[in-house]
Amino acid sequence: IDAPGRPGLLARVRLAARVSYLFDRAPKWTTSRLIPLFDWSSPDAADVWSARKYSNYIGSPELFGLVKQPFLQVFGRSDTPAEDLRTFAEWLTAILIANLADGADYPLLATEARSALRRAGVSALSSVGHRLAVEMERATAAQKLARWRTVVGPVFQAIWPLDVDLQTPEATFKLVQILRAAGDAFPEACDIIIPFIQPDDPRAQTTVFSIAEAP
């Protein structure tokens, strides 16, 4: 991890991608040797954050608390790739879902998440909508109404930006995906979501096609 030059950077990037795994097994070493790399004062910060998006595990609430501030700063940086913004926007949503649905204790406020999404701009909202749609799709028919009322609806209302310029056809496609999966919660979900619906892109009409076989 201390090797000079490109070999050292590649080692640090590889370890950063598995920081969640390492923190669970060697928290003291990880806190002292890896966590500082994620601070934006570190010359490796951009590379380790870009590697972090390949992890399929966000990590424990304790780990998130240690990297929370630089994580939120990712969304306001002009040099953050759009792919990274999309991945980390989905992480924001997943964290708030976990806090509500599973009683997790991630130290993230809904206001902090919404502020981050506003800074990220239009590229991140589709990921938020996708994660919420997946949550509705996973619910059985009998669970739909409760899942909307206790998890998906509250998270959507808490973090979805109200800015008109952030509402796009791409985001609309995901909002309609939520509605299609709403089941018995459909009327309630419509009341909340329809104000954010935008006209479909006439060159693609992806939303129109998506509802062609809907009830």
Coordinates of all heavy atoms in Angstrom, one line a residue, residues 46-141:
A46 N -9.6 10.7 -6.1 CA -10.4 10.5 -7.3 C -10.4 9.1 -7.8 O -11.4 8.5 -8.2 CB -10.0 11.5 -8.4
D47 N -9.2 8.5 -7.7 CA -9.0 7.1 -8.2 C -9.7 6.1 -7.2 O -10.3 5.2 -7.7 CB -7.5 6.8 -8.3 CG -6.9 7.6 -9.4 OD1 -7.4 7.6 -10.5 OD2 -5.8 8.2 -9.2
V48 N -9.6 6.3 -5.9 CA -10.2 5.4 -5.0 C -11.7 5.5 -5.0 O -12.4 4.4 -4.8 CB -9.6 5.5 -3.6 CG1 -8.1 5.2 -3.6 CG2 -9.9 6.8 -2.9
W49 N -12.2 6.7 -5.2 CA -13.7 6.8 -5.2 C -14.2 6.2 -6.5 O -15.3 5.5 -6.5 CB -14.1 8.3 -5.1 CG -14.2 8.7 -3.7 CD1 -13.5 9.7 -3.1 CD2 -15.2 8.3 -2.7 NE1 -13.9 9.8 -1.8 CE2 -14.9 9.0 -1.5 CE3 -16.2 7.3 -2.8 CZ2 -15.6 8.8 -0.4 CZ3 -16.9 7.1 -1.6 CH2 -16.6 7.8 -0.4
S50 N -13.5 6.3 -7.6 CA -13.9 5.7 -8.8 C -13.9 4.2 -8.7 O -14.8 3.5 -9.3 CB -13.0 6.2 -10.0 OG -13.6 5.9 -11.2
A51 N -12.9 3.7 -8.0 CA -12.8 2.2 -7.8 C -14.0 1.8 -6.8 O -14.5 0.6 -7.0 CB -11.5 1.9 -7.2
R52 N -14.3 2.6 -5.9 CA -15.3 2.2 -4.9 C -16.7 1.9 -5.5 O -17.4 1.0 -5.0 CB -15.5 3.4 -3.9 CG -16.5 3.2 -2.8 CD -15.9 2.4 -1.7 NE -16.7 2.3 -0.5 CZ -17.5 1.4 -0.2 NH1 -17.6 0.3 -1.0 NH2 -18.3 1.4 0.9
K53 N -17.0 2.5 -6.6 CA -18.3 2.2 -7.2 C -18.5 0.8 -7.7 O -19.6 0.3 -8.0 CB -18.6 3.1 -8.4 CG -17.7 2.9 -9.7 CD -18.2 3.8 -10.8 CE -17.4 3.6 -12.0 NZ -16.0 4.1 -11.9
Y54 N -17.3 0.0 -7.8 CA -17.4 -1.4 -8.3 C -17.7 -2.3 -7.1 O -17.9 -3.5 -7.4 CB -16.1 -1.8 -8.9 CG -15.9 -1.0 -10.2 CD1 -14.9 0.0 -10.3 CD2 -16.6 -1.3 -11.4 CE1 -14.7 0.7 -11.5 CE2 -16.5 -0.7 -12.6 CZ -15.5 0.3 -12.6 OH -15.3 1.0 -13.8
S55 N -17.8 -1.8 -5.9 CA -18.2 -2.7 -4.8 C -19.7 -3.0 -4.8 O -20.5 -2.1 -5.1 CB -17.8 -2.0 -3.5 OG -18.3 -2.8 -2.4
N56 N -20.0 -4.2 -4.6 CA -21.4 -4.6 -4.5 C -22.0 -4.5 -3.1 O -23.1 -5.0 -2.8 CB -21.7 -6.0 -5.1 CG -20.8 -7.1 -4.4 OD1 -20.2 -6.8 -3.4 ND2 -20.9 -8.3 -4.9
Y57 N -21.2 -3.9 -2.2 CA -21.6 -3.8 -0.8 C -21.2 -2.4 -0.3 O -20.1 -2.1 -0.3 CB -20.9 -4.9 0.0 CG -21.1 -4.8 1.5 CD1 -22.3 -4.5 2.1 CD2 -20.0 -5.1 2.4 CE1 -22.4 -4.5 3.5 CE2 -20.1 -5.0 3.7 CZ -21.3 -4.7 4.3 OH -21.5 -4.7 5.7
I58 N -22.2 -1.6 0.1 CA -22.0 -0.3 0.6 C -21.1 -0.3 1.8 O -20.3 0.6 2.0 CB -23.3 0.5 0.8 CG1 -24.1 0.6 -0.5 CG2 -23.1 1.8 1.5 CD1 -25.4 1.2 -0.3
G59 N -21.3 -1.3 2.7 CA -20.6 -1.4 3.9 C -21.5 -1.1 5.1 O -22.6 -0.7 5.0
S60 N -20.9 -1.2 6.2 CA -21.6 -1.0 7.5 C -21.9 0.5 7.7 O -21.2 1.4 7.2 CB -20.8 -1.5 8.7 OG -19.6 -0.7 8.8
P61 N -22.9 0.8 8.6 CA -23.1 2.2 9.0 C -21.8 2.9 9.6 O -21.6 4.1 9.4 CB -24.2 2.1 10.0 CG -25.0 0.9 9.7 CD -23.9 -0.1 9.2
E62 N -21.0 2.1 10.3 CA -19.8 2.7 10.9 C -18.8 3.1 9.8 O -18.3 4.2 9.9 CB -19.1 1.6 11.8 CG -19.9 1.3 13.0 CD -21.1 0.4 12.8 OE1 -21.1 -0.3 11.7 OE2 -22.0 0.3 13.6
L63 N -18.7 2.3 8.8 CA -17.8 2.6 7.6 C -18.3 3.9 6.9 O -17.6 4.8 6.6 CB -17.7 1.5 6.7 CG -16.9 1.8 5.4 CD1 -15.5 2.2 5.7 CD2 -17.0 0.6 4.4
F64 N -19.6 3.9 6.7 CA -20.2 5.0 6.0 C -20.0 6.3 6.7 O -19.7 7.3 6.2 CB -21.7 4.8 5.7 CG -22.4 5.9 5.0 CD1 -22.2 6.1 3.6 CD2 -23.1 6.9 5.7 CE1 -22.8 7.2 3.0 CE2 -23.7 7.9 5.1 CZ -23.5 8.1 3.7
G65 N -20.1 6.2 8.1 CA -19.9 7.4 8.9 C -18.5 8.0 8.7 O -18.3 9.2 8.7
L66 N -17.5 7.1 8.5 CA -16.1 7.5 8.4 C -15.9 8.2 7.1 O -15.0 9.1 7.0 CB -15.2 6.3 8.6 CG -15.1 5.7 10.0 CD1 -14.3 4.4 9.9 CD2 -14.5 6.7 11.0
V67 N -16.6 7.9 6.0 CA -16.3 8.4 4.7 C -17.5 9.3 4.2 O -17.5 9.8 3.1 CB -16.1 7.3 3.7 CG1 -14.8 6.6 4.0 CG2 -17.3 6.4 3.5
K68 N -18.4 9.6 5.1 CA -19.6 10.3 4.7 C -19.4 11.7 4.1 O -19.9 12.0 3.0 CB -20.6 10.5 5.9 CG -21.8 11.4 5.7 CD -22.6 11.6 6.9 CE -23.7 12.6 6.7 NZ -24.5 12.8 8.0
Q69 N -18.5 12.5 4.7 CA -18.3 13.8 4.2 C -17.7 13.8 2.8 O -18.2 14.5 1.9 CB -17.5 14.7 5.2 CG -18.3 15.0 6.5 CD -19.6 15.6 6.2 OE1 -19.7 16.5 5.3 NE2 -20.6 15.2 6.9
P70 N -16.6 13.1 2.6 CA -16.0 13.1 1.2 C -17.0 12.4 0.2 O -17.0 12.7 -0.9 CB -14.7 12.3 1.4 CG -14.8 11.6 2.7 CD -15.7 12.4 3.5
F71 N -17.8 11.4 0.7 CA -18.8 10.8 -0.2 C -19.8 11.8 -0.7 O -20.1 11.9 -1.9 CB -19.5 9.7 0.6 CG -20.6 9.1 -0.2 CD1 -20.4 8.3 -1.3 CD2 -22.0 9.3 0.2 CE1 -21.5 7.7 -2.0 CE2 -23.0 8.8 -0.5 CZ -22.8 7.9 -1.6
L72 N -20.3 12.7 0.2 CA -21.3 13.7 -0.2 C -20.6 14.7 -1.1 O -21.3 15.3 -2.0 CB -21.9 14.3 1.0 CG -22.8 13.4 1.9 CD1 -23.3 14.2 3.1 CD2 -24.0 12.9 1.1
Q73 N -19.4 15.0 -0.9 CA -18.7 15.9 -1.7 C -18.5 15.5 -3.1 O -18.3 16.3 -4.1 CB -17.3 16.3 -1.1 CG -17.4 17.1 0.2 CD -16.0 17.1 0.9 OE1 -15.0 16.6 0.4 NE2 -16.0 17.7 2.1
V74 N -18.5 14.1 -3.4 CA -18.5 13.6 -4.7 C -19.5 14.2 -5.6 O -19.2 14.5 -6.8 CB -18.6 12.0 -4.7 CG1 -18.9 11.5 -6.1 CG2 -17.4 11.4 -4.0
F75 N -20.7 14.5 -5.1 CA -21.8 14.9 -5.9 C -21.7 16.4 -6.4 O -22.3 16.8 -7.3 CB -23.1 14.7 -5.1 CG -23.5 13.3 -4.9 CD1 -23.0 12.7 -3.7 CD2 -24.2 12.6 -5.7 CE1 -23.3 11.4 -3.4 CE2 -24.5 11.3 -5.5 CZ -24.1 10.7 -4.3
G76 N -20.8 17.1 -5.7 CA -20.7 18.5 -6.1 C -19.4 18.8 -6.9 O -19.2 20.0 -7.2
R77 N -18.6 17.8 -7.2 CA -17.4 18.0 -7.9 C -17.6 17.9 -9.4 O -18.2 17.0 -9.9 CB -16.4 16.9 -7.5 CG -15.9 17.0 -6.0 CD -14.9 16.0 -5.7 NE -13.7 16.2 -6.5 CZ -12.7 16.9 -6.1 NH1 -12.7 17.6 -5.0 NH2 -11.6 17.0 -6.9
S78 N -17.0 18.9 -10.1 CA -17.2 19.0 -11.6 C -16.5 17.9 -12.3 O -16.8 17.6 -13.5 CB -16.7 20.3 -12.1 OG -15.4 20.5 -11.8
D79 N -15.5 17.2 -11.6 CA -14.7 16.2 -12.3 C -15.2 14.8 -12.0 O -14.6 13.8 -12.4 CB -13.2 16.3 -11.9 CG -13.0 16.2 -10.4 OD1 -14.0 16.3 -9.6 OD2 -11.9 16.0 -9.9
T80 N -16.3 14.7 -11.3 CA -16.9 13.3 -11.1 C -17.5 12.8 -12.3 O -18.5 13.4 -12.9 CB -17.9 13.4 -9.9 OG1 -17.3 13.9 -8.8 CG2 -18.4 12.0 -9.6
P81 N -17.1 11.6 -12.8 CA -17.8 11.0 -14.0 C -19.2 10.8 -13.8 O -19.7 10.4 -12.7 CB -17.0 9.7 -14.2 CG -15.7 9.9 -13.5 CD -16.0 10.8 -12.3
A82 N -20.0 10.9 -14.9 CA -21.5 10.7 -14.8 C -21.8 9.2 -14.3 O -22.8 9.0 -13.5 CB -22.1 10.9 -16.1
E83 N -21.0 8.3 -14.7 CA -21.2 6.9 -14.2 C -21.1 6.8 -12.7 O -21.9 6.1 -12.0 CB -20.2 5.9 -14.9 CG -20.4 4.5 -14.5 CD -19.4 3.6 -15.1 OE1 -18.5 4.0 -15.9 OE2 -19.4 2.4 -14.8
D84 N -20.1 7.5 -12.1 CA -19.9 7.5 -10.7 C -21.1 8.1 -10.0 O -21.6 7.6 -9.0 CB -18.7 8.2 -10.3 CG -17.4 7.5 -10.8 OD1 -17.5 6.6 -11.7 OD2 -16.3 7.8 -10.3
L85 N -21.6 9.2 -10.5 CA -22.8 9.9 -10.0 C -24.0 9.0 -9.9 O -24.7 9.0 -9.0 CB -23.1 11.2 -10.7 CG -22.1 12.4 -10.6 CD1 -22.5 13.5 -11.5 CD2 -22.0 12.8 -9.2
R86 N -24.2 8.3 -11.0 CA -25.4 7.4 -11.1 C -25.3 6.3 -10.1 O -26.3 6.0 -9.4 CB -25.5 6.8 -12.5 CG -26.0 7.8 -13.5 CD -26.3 7.2 -14.8 NE -25.1 6.6 -15.5 CZ -24.5 7.3 -16.4 NH1 -24.8 8.6 -16.7 NH2 -23.4 6.8 -17.0
T87 N -24.1 5.7 -9.9 CA -23.9 4.6 -8.9 C -24.1 5.1 -7.5 O -24.8 4.5 -6.7 CB -22.5 4.0 -9.1 OG1 -22.4 3.5 -10.4 CG2 -22.3 2.9 -8.0
F88 N -23.5 6.2 -7.2 CA -23.6 6.7 -5.8 C -24.9 7.3 -5.5 O -25.3 7.3 -4.3 CB -22.4 7.7 -5.6 CG -21.1 7.1 -5.6 CD1 -20.0 7.8 -6.2 CD2 -20.8 5.9 -5.0 CE1 -18.7 7.2 -6.3 CE2 -19.6 5.3 -5.0 CZ -18.5 6.0 -5.7
A89 N -25.6 7.8 -6.5 CA -27.0 8.3 -6.3 C -27.9 7.1 -5.9 O -28.8 7.2 -5.0 CB -27.6 8.9 -7.5
E90 N -27.7 6.0 -6.5 CA -28.4 4.8 -6.1 C -28.0 4.3 -4.7 O -28.9 3.8 -4.0 CB -28.1 3.6 -7.1 CG -29.0 2.4 -6.9 CD -29.0 1.5 -8.1 OE1 -28.4 1.8 -9.2 OE2 -29.5 0.4 -8.0
W91 N -26.8 4.5 -4.3 CA -26.4 4.2 -3.0 C -27.1 5.1 -2.0 O -27.5 4.6 -0.9 CB -24.8 4.4 -2.8 CG -24.0 3.3 -3.4 CD1 -24.4 2.4 -4.4 CD2 -22.7 3.0 -3.1 NE1 -23.3 1.6 -4.7 CE2 -22.3 1.9 -3.9 CE3 -21.8 3.5 -2.2 CZ2 -21.0 1.3 -3.8 CZ3 -20.5 2.9 -2.1 CH2 -20.1 1.9 -2.9
L92 N -27.2 6.3 -2.2 CA -28.0 7.2 -1.3 C -29.4 6.7 -1.1 O -29.9 6.6 0.0 CB -28.1 8.6 -1.9 CG -26.8 9.5 -1.9 CD1 -27.1 10.8 -2.7 CD2 -26.4 9.8 -0.5
T93 N -30.0 6.3 -2.2 CA -31.4 5.8 -2.1 C -31.4 4.5 -1.3 O -32.3 4.3 -0.5 CB -31.9 5.6 -3.5 OG1 -31.6 6.7 -4.3 CG2 -33.4 5.4 -3.5
A94 N -30.5 3.6 -1.6 CA -30.5 2.3 -0.9 C -30.2 2.5 0.6 O -30.8 1.7 1.4 CB -29.4 1.4 -1.5
I95 N -29.4 3.4 1.0 CA -29.1 3.7 2.4 C -30.4 4.1 3.1 O -30.7 3.6 4.2 CB -28.0 4.7 2.5 CG1 -26.7 4.1 2.2 CG2 -28.0 5.3 3.9 CD1 -25.5 5.1 2.1
L96 N -31.1 5.0 2.5 CA -32.4 5.5 3.1 C -33.4 4.4 3.2 O -34.2 4.3 4.1 CB -32.9 6.8 2.4 CG -32.0 8.0 2.6 CD1 -32.6 9.2 1.8 CD2 -31.8 8.4 4.0
I97 N -33.5 3.6 2.1 CA -34.4 2.5 2.2 C -34.1 1.5 3.3 O -34.9 1.0 4.0 CB -34.4 1.8 0.8 CG1 -35.1 2.6 -0.3 CG2 -35.1 0.4 0.9 CD1 -35.0 2.0 -1.7
A98 N -32.8 1.2 3.4 CA -32.3 0.3 4.5 C -32.7 0.9 5.9 O -33.1 0.1 6.8 CB -30.8 0.1 4.4
N99 N -32.5 2.2 6.0 CA -32.8 2.8 7.3 C -34.3 2.6 7.7 O -34.7 2.4 8.8 CB -32.5 4.3 7.3 CG -31.0 4.5 7.5 OD1 -30.2 3.6 7.9 ND2 -30.5 5.7 7.3
L100 N -35.2 2.8 6.7 CA -36.6 2.7 6.9 C -37.1 1.2 7.0 O -37.9 0.8 7.8 CB -37.4 3.4 5.8 CG -37.5 4.9 6.0 CD1 -38.3 5.5 4.8 CD2 -38.1 5.3 7.3
A101 N -36.6 0.4 6.0 CA -37.2 -0.9 5.8 C -36.5 -1.9 6.8 O -37.2 -2.9 7.3 CB -37.0 -1.4 4.4
D102 N -35.3 -1.8 7.1 CA -34.5 -2.8 7.8 C -34.1 -2.3 9.2 O -33.4 -3.0 9.9 CB -33.3 -3.2 7.0 CG -33.7 -3.8 5.7 OD1 -34.8 -4.4 5.6 OD2 -32.9 -3.5 4.7
G103 N -34.4 -1.0 9.5 CA -33.9 -0.5 10.8 C -32.4 -0.2 10.9 O -31.9 -0.2 12.0
A104 N -31.8 -0.1 9.7 CA -30.4 0.2 9.7 C -30.1 1.6 10.3 O -31.1 2.4 10.4 CB -29.8 0.1 8.3
D105 N -28.9 1.9 10.6 CA -28.6 3.1 11.3 C -27.5 3.9 10.6 O -26.6 4.4 11.2 CB -28.2 2.8 12.8 CG -28.1 4.1 13.7 OD1 -28.9 5.0 13.4 OD2 -27.4 4.1 14.6
Y106 N -27.7 4.0 9.3 CA -26.7 4.8 8.5 C -26.9 6.3 8.9 O -28.0 6.8 8.8 CB -26.9 4.6 7.0 CG -26.4 3.2 6.5 CD1 -27.3 2.2 6.4 CD2 -25.1 3.1 6.1 CE1 -26.9 0.9 6.0 CE2 -24.6 1.8 5.7 CZ -25.5 0.8 5.6 OH -25.1 -0.4 5.1
P107 N -25.8 7.0 9.2 CA -25.9 8.4 9.5 C -26.1 9.3 8.3 O -25.2 10.1 8.0 CB -24.5 8.6 10.2 CG -23.6 7.7 9.6 CD -24.4 6.5 9.2
L108 N -27.2 9.2 7.7 CA -27.5 10.0 6.5 C -28.9 10.6 6.7 O -29.9 9.9 6.8 CB -27.4 9.2 5.2 CG -27.8 9.9 3.9 CD1 -26.7 11.0 3.6 CD2 -27.9 8.9 2.8
L109 N -29.0 11.9 6.6 CA -30.3 12.6 6.6 C -30.9 12.7 5.2 O -30.1 12.8 4.2 CB -30.2 14.0 7.2 CG -29.6 14.1 8.7 CD1 -29.5 15.5 9.1 CD2 -30.5 13.3 9.6
A110 N -32.2 12.6 5.1 CA -32.8 12.8 3.8 C -32.5 14.2 3.2 O -32.3 14.3 2.0 CB -34.3 12.6 4.0
T111 N -32.4 15.2 4.0 CA -32.0 16.5 3.5 C -30.6 16.5 2.9 O -30.4 17.2 1.9 CB -32.1 17.6 4.6 OG1 -31.3 17.1 5.8 CG2 -33.6 17.8 5.1
E112 N -29.7 15.8 3.5 CA -28.4 15.7 2.9 C -28.4 14.9 1.6 O -27.7 15.3 0.6 CB -27.5 14.9 3.9 CG -27.2 15.7 5.2 CD -26.5 14.8 6.2 OE1 -26.7 13.6 6.3 OE2 -25.6 15.4 7.0
A113 N -29.2 13.9 1.5 CA -29.3 13.1 0.2 C -29.9 14.0 -0.9 O -29.4 14.0 -2.0 CB -30.1 11.9 0.4
R114 N -31.0 14.7 -0.5 CA -31.6 15.6 -1.6 C -30.7 16.7 -2.0 O -30.6 17.0 -3.2 CB -32.9 16.2 -1.0 CG -33.5 17.2 -2.0 CD -34.8 17.9 -1.4 NE -35.9 17.0 -1.5 CZ -37.2 17.4 -1.2 NH1 -37.3 18.6 -0.6 NH2 -38.2 16.6 -1.3
S115 N -29.9 17.3 -1.1 CA -29.0 18.3 -1.5 C -27.9 17.7 -2.4 O -27.5 18.4 -3.4 CB -28.3 18.9 -0.2 OG -27.3 19.8 -0.5
A116 N -27.4 16.5 -2.1 CA -26.4 15.9 -2.9 C -27.0 15.7 -4.3 O -26.3 15.9 -5.3 CB -25.9 14.6 -2.3
L117 N -28.2 15.2 -4.4 CA -28.8 14.9 -5.7 C -29.0 16.2 -6.5 O -28.8 16.2 -7.8 CB -30.1 14.2 -5.5 CG -30.0 12.8 -5.0 CD1 -31.4 12.2 -4.7 CD2 -29.3 11.9 -6.0
R118 N -29.3 17.3 -5.9 CA -29.5 18.5 -6.6 C -28.1 19.0 -7.1 O -28.1 19.5 -8.3 CB -30.0 19.6 -5.6 CG -31.5 19.4 -5.2 CD -32.0 20.6 -4.4 NE -32.1 21.8 -5.2 CZ -32.1 23.0 -4.7 NH1 -32.1 23.2 -3.4 NH2 -32.2 24.0 -5.5
R119 N -27.1 18.8 -6.4 CA -25.7 19.2 -6.9 C -25.3 18.3 -8.1 O -24.6 18.7 -9.0 CB -24.7 19.1 -5.8 CG -24.9 20.1 -4.7 CD -23.7 20.3 -3.8 NE -23.3 19.0 -3.2 CZ -23.8 18.6 -2.0 NH1 -24.7 19.3 -1.4 NH2 -23.4 17.4 -1.5
A120 N -25.7 17.0 -8.0 CA -25.3 16.1 -9.1 C -26.0 16.4 -10.4 O -25.5 16.1 -11.5 CB -25.7 14.7 -8.6
G121 N -27.2 16.9 -10.4 CA -27.9 17.3 -11.6 C -28.7 16.2 -12.2 O -29.0 15.2 -11.5
V122 N -29.1 16.3 -13.4 CA -30.0 15.4 -14.1 C -29.5 14.0 -14.2 O -30.3 13.0 -14.3 CB -30.5 15.9 -15.5 CG1 -31.2 17.2 -15.3 CG2 -29.2 16.0 -16.4
S123 N -28.2 13.8 -14.3 CA -27.7 12.5 -14.5 C -27.9 11.5 -13.4 O -27.9 10.2 -13.7 CB -26.1 12.5 -14.8 OG -25.5 13.0 -13.7
A124 N -28.2 11.9 -12.2 CA -28.3 11.0 -11.1 C -29.8 10.6 -10.8 O -30.0 9.5 -10.2 CB -27.8 11.7 -9.8
L125 N -30.8 11.3 -11.3 CA -32.1 11.0 -10.8 C -32.7 9.7 -11.4 O -33.5 9.0 -10.8 CB -33.1 12.2 -11.2 CG -33.0 13.4 -10.4 CD1 -34.1 14.4 -10.7 CD2 -33.0 13.1 -8.9
S126 N -32.2 9.3 -12.6 CA -32.7 8.0 -13.1 C -32.3 6.9 -12.2 O -33.1 5.9 -12.1 CB -32.1 7.8 -14.5 OG -32.7 8.7 -15.4
S127 N -31.1 7.0 -11.6 CA -30.7 5.9 -10.7 C -31.5 5.9 -9.5 O -31.8 4.8 -8.9 CB -29.2 6.1 -10.3 OG -28.4 5.9 -11.4
V128 N -31.9 7.0 -9.0 CA -32.8 7.1 -7.8 C -34.2 6.4 -8.1 O -34.7 5.6 -7.4 CB -33.0 8.5 -7.3 CG1 -34.0 8.6 -6.2 CG2 -31.7 9.1 -6.9
G129 N -34.7 6.8 -9.3 CA -36.0 6.2 -9.7 C -35.9 4.7 -9.9 O -36.8 4.0 -9.5
H130 N -34.8 4.3 -10.5 CA -34.6 2.9 -10.7 C -34.6 2.1 -9.4 O -35.2 1.0 -9.3 CB -33.3 2.6 -11.5 CG -33.0 1.2 -11.7 ND1 -33.6 0.4 -12.6 CD2 -32.1 0.4 -11.1 CE1 -33.2 -0.8 -12.6 NE2 -32.2 -0.9 -11.6
R131 N -33.8 2.6 -8.4 CA -33.7 1.9 -7.1 C -35.1 1.8 -6.4 O -35.4 0.8 -5.8 CB -32.7 2.6 -6.3 CG -32.4 1.8 -5.0 CD -31.8 0.4 -5.3 NE -31.6 -0.4 -4.1 CZ -32.6 -1.1 -3.5 NH1 -33.8 -1.1 -4.1 NH2 -32.3 -1.8 -2.5
L132 N -35.9 2.9 -6.5 CA -37.2 2.9 -5.9 C -38.1 1.9 -6.6 O -39.0 1.2 -6.0 CB -37.8 4.3 -5.9 CG -37.0 5.3 -4.9 CD1 -37.6 6.7 -5.1 CD2 -37.2 4.8 -3.5
A133 N -38.0 1.9 -8.0 CA -38.8 1.0 -8.8 C -38.5 -0.5 -8.4 O -39.5 -1.3 -8.3 CB -38.6 1.2 -10.2
V134 N -37.3 -0.8 -8.3 CA -36.9 -2.2 -7.9 C -37.4 -2.5 -6.6 O -37.9 -3.7 -6.4 CB -35.3 -2.3 -7.9 CG1 -34.9 -3.6 -7.3 CG2 -34.8 -2.2 -9.4
E135 N -37.4 -1.6 -5.7 CA -38.0 -1.9 -4.3 C -39.5 -2.2 -4.4 O -40.0 -3.1 -3.7 CB -37.8 -0.7 -3.4 CG -38.1 -0.9 -2.0 CD -37.2 -1.9 -1.3 OE1 -36.0 -2.1 -1.8 OE2 -37.6 -2.4 -0.2
M136 N -40.2 -1.5 -5.3 CA -41.6 -1.8 -5.4 C -41.8 -3.1 -6.2 O -42.7 -3.9 -5.8 CB -42.3 -0.7 -6.2 CG -42.6 0.6 -5.5 SD -43.6 0.4 -3.9 CE -45.1 -0.3 -4.6
E137 N -41.0 -3.4 -7.1 CA -41.1 -4.6 -7.9 C -40.9 -5.9 -7.0 O -41.4 -6.9 -7.3 CB -40.2 -4.6 -9.1 CG -40.6 -3.6 -10.2 CD -39.5 -3.4 -11.2 OE1 -38.3 -3.9 -11.0 OE2 -39.8 -2.8 -12.2
R138 N -40.0 -5.7 -6.0 CA -39.7 -6.9 -5.1 C -40.9 -7.2 -4.2 O -40.9 -8.3 -3.7 CB -38.5 -6.5 -4.3 CG -37.2 -6.6 -5.1 CD -36.0 -6.1 -4.2 NE -34.7 -6.2 -5.0 CZ -33.6 -5.7 -4.5 NH1 -33.6 -5.1 -3.3 NH2 -32.5 -5.9 -5.2
A139 N -41.7 -6.3 -4.0 CA -42.8 -6.5 -3.0 C -43.9 -7.4 -3.7 O -44.2 -7.2 -4.9 CB -43.5 -5.2 -2.6
T140 N -44.4 -8.3 -2.9 CA -45.5 -9.1 -3.4 C -46.8 -8.3 -3.6 O -46.8 -7.1 -3.1 CB -45.8 -10.3 -2.5 OG1 -46.3 -9.8 -1.2 CG2 -44.5 -11.1 -2.2
A141 N -47.8 -8.8 -4.2 CA -49.0 -8.0 -4.4 C -49.6 -7.6 -3.1 O -50.1 -6.5 -2.9 CB -50.0 -8.9 -5.2

